[in-house]
Amino acid sequence: MTAFALLGWGLTLIRFVTGFPTTVFVLTRTLRKVAAAKPRLADPPRLAVVVPARDEGANVTATLESLLASDYPRLEVIAVDDRSQDDTGARMRAVADADGSGRLRVMTIGSLPDGWLGKCHACEVAQQTTDAEWILFTDGDATYAPDGLSRAMRVAVGDGLDLLTLIPRTRFGGLLEATLLGGFGLTMLGVGRAWQMRFAWSKAAVGAGPFLLVRAATYRASGSHEGIKLSVVEDVDLAGQMKAYGGKTDVLLVGRDEDVAFRWQPSAWGVVTGLTKNAFAAAGYSWPRLIVGTTLLSLAQLFPYVAVFWSETPLLSGWFVSIVLGHVFFAVVAWSMALPPAVIPFLPVALLGILLAFFRSAAVTTRQGGVRWRETFYDLATLRTATSAYNARLSEMRAVRVKPER
């Protein structure tokens, strides 16, 4: 057997070892499966849901109405109109008036202080107005099943968690959009090592903006949103901050259910452009880190499609087996996301789309010298400094990790 053939089988082994745990996670760690083993809460703790929104007039009504339709008994909803230029605030107040129960409070933020990202500031302001034991941070375009919050709270309280994040069901339009969503899901779950999130020995932290449920005491003790006030990937960084502090964290998939659902982007190109703000930030605003990461991803996931044609016996080579494994893993993720089976052959397209999104994000951010988000500009030097400070603080927190009181 040649060295080239051995390399193919070596890559197959690596791909299996790294992909199998993620596949098991996808098949077993869904909200409904985990919650089914938890008893109903005899004395449900108070839950405050924070809904920051800017220019979400087209979506926020459905979000708030779905939350108010929840069967969770001790619930308050705090809707934050964050400097909207459309009718977001008016729609929020209309829902509150129509509900009439007093469970929905509407806050208005007229300006953004220096040194804050808009969403982080809105969440911080809102959380200071509640004394609920649990806080859920969500987005103004997500919708909830009536029993979704109750199910999530059973898991969070029953497992003694400090943070639970849910990967929501993502609605989509055409086949190409679904393919790119599948590629993003595969990359996030695999590269992000989502299956390691619940283990204290791992630094792996995953967060999803539409659902970040936190124990208020641990959230505040670890730094709240003030500790990540300039984070562009605030969902991931909040999870990382609470885990570094010593909090018990977990991530579950909503899967094919509708407990939490949203339409992330309006089109396939929207999936690519929607990562402009986040992708380079995920690489720490570092070109070398981005190049190394994407090169490794390309060698592991894309190179086998070329190498298989250089093999003496292509269909019996490790390169071909590696390709098959990749599509099997992709099929499992696609099924869990309720994507059509037609996306499965297009794994290379999905991966190329993700690579395009990362390099486009880096190029745009570097060219304009920062990130522009929701009509506010954040310069790159400040973001890099904040990222370095965040990483240093997490290292210090891990060195003196505490066991939060519960």
Side-chain angles (χ1 to χ4, degrees):
M1 186 176 290
T2 66
F4 183 72
L6 284 173
L7 182 61
W9 286 109
L11 177 61
T12 299
L13 178 61
I14 293 172
R15 203 163 189 179
F16 177 80
V17 170
T18 57
F20 183 73
T22 298
T23 303
V24 173
F25 168 83
V26 167
L27 292 174
T28 61
R29 301 292 293 173
T30 62
L31 175 62
R32 295 202 176 193
K33 287 181 179 178
V34 175
K38 309 297 179 187
R40 293 190 177 275
L41 300 176
D43 184 22
R46 290 181 57 208
L47 170 64
V49 182
V50 174
V51 187
R54 181 173 186 186
D55 297 335
E56 289 284 1
N59 302 306
V60 75
T61 297
T63 296
L64 296 178
E65 288 179 345
S66 70
L67 287 168
L68 292 171
S70 170
D71 65 2
Y72 192 77
R74 304 183 66 193
L75 176 70
E76 68 170 319
V77 180
I78 307 170
V80 187
D81 176 17
D82 182 20
R83 300 166 293 136
S84 295
Q85 301 298 309
D86 66 358
D87 61 348
T88 295
R91 288 179 177 267
M92 288 176 171
R93 289 186 288 273
V95 175
D97 291 341
D99 179 66
S101 67
R103 293 179 301 163
L104 171 59
R105 292 190 285 118
V106 179
M107 301 179 62
T108 301
I109 293 178
S111 61
L112 179 66
D114 291 339
W116 281 90
L117 221 73
K119 183 179 179 180
C120 294
H121 177 252
C123 289
E124 180 69 18
V125 170
Q127 71 89 10
Q128 293 176 2
T129 69
T130 181
D131 59 358
E133 298 126 289
W134 288 84
I135 305 173
L136 170 63
F137 297 102
T138 187
D139 288 338
D141 56 357
T143 56
Y144 289 78
D147 54 355
L149 294 181
S150 295
R151 194 172 282 118
M153 286 296 291
R154 288 208 307 273
V155 174
V157 175
D159 284 348
L161 300 178
D162 294 289
L163 177 144
L164 172 65
T165 188
L166 299 180
I167 309 298
R169 177 167 179 171
T170 306
R171 303 184 181 103
F172 60 90
L175 179 62
L176 181 56
E177 181 184 351
T179 300
L180 294 177
L181 288 173
F184 176 73
L186 182 68
T187 304
M188 179 182 67
L189 295 173
V191 176
R193 296 168 293 140
W195 68 274
Q196 296 182 13
M197 172 79 162
R198 60 191 175 122
F199 300 114
W201 51 263
S202 172
K203 294 180 182 179
V206 176
F211 196 100
L212 284 162
L213 177 63
V214 300
R215 189 184 298 269
T218 308
Y219 157 74
R220 289 173 179 137
S222 65
S224 71
H225 274 82
E226 185 168 5
I228 56 168
K229 59 185 180 181
L230 271 175
S231 171
V232 172
V233 284
E234 83 293 332
D235 44 10
V236 176
D237 284 351
L238 181 61
Q241 175 178 272
M242 292 186 65
K243 187 171 187 179
Y245 176 74
K248 187 177 181 181
T249 62
D250 202 355
V251 54
L252 298 174
L253 300 172
V254 170
R256 302 174 66 86
D257 303 306
E258 292 279 346
D259 293 286
V260 189
F262 78 139
R263 178 79 183 271
W264 183 34
Q265 298 294 336
S267 65
W269 181 241
V271 175
V272 174
T273 59
L275 286 168
T276 301
K277 172 178 75 79
N278 303 67
F280 196 35
Y285 303 105
S286 167
W287 273 98
R289 184 176 174 182
L290 174 68
I291 291 171
V292 169
T294 53
T295 299
L296 291 175
L297 179 66
S298 299
L299 289 174
Q301 302 278 4
L302 293 173
F303 182 66
Y305 292 97
V306 177
V308 71
F309 291 104
W310 297 341
S311 302
E312 296 179 2
T313 54
L315 297 183
L316 298 178
S317 68
W319 301 107
F320 180 74
V321 176
S322 177
I323 291 171
V324 172
L325 272 180
H327 283 268
V328 170
F329 294 153
F330 186 49
V332 173
V333 170
W335 176 85
S336 74
M337 296 176 66
L339 302 177
V343 307
I344 297 171
F346 296 105
L347 174 58
V349 175
L351 295 171
L352 287 170
I354 297 304
L355 291 175
L356 171 62
F358 269 86
F359 278 102
R360 182 181 184 279
S361 171
V364 170
T365 303
T366 302
R367 185 183 70 246
Q368 64 187 17
V371 171
R372 183 171 299 280
W373 183 244
R374 300 292 177 111
E375 307 305 320
T376 304
F377 183 77
Y378 307 92
D379 72 271
L380 185 54
T382 300
L383 293 174
R384 280 176 168 155
T385 300
T387 300
S388 297
Y390 169 81
N391 290 331
R393 192 167 66 87
L394 258 60
S395 296
E396 295 173 358
M397 292 169 70
R398 292 189 187 104
V400 293
R401 183 175 292 173
V402 301
K403 185 175 181 180
E405 295 183 6
R406 298 188 178 92

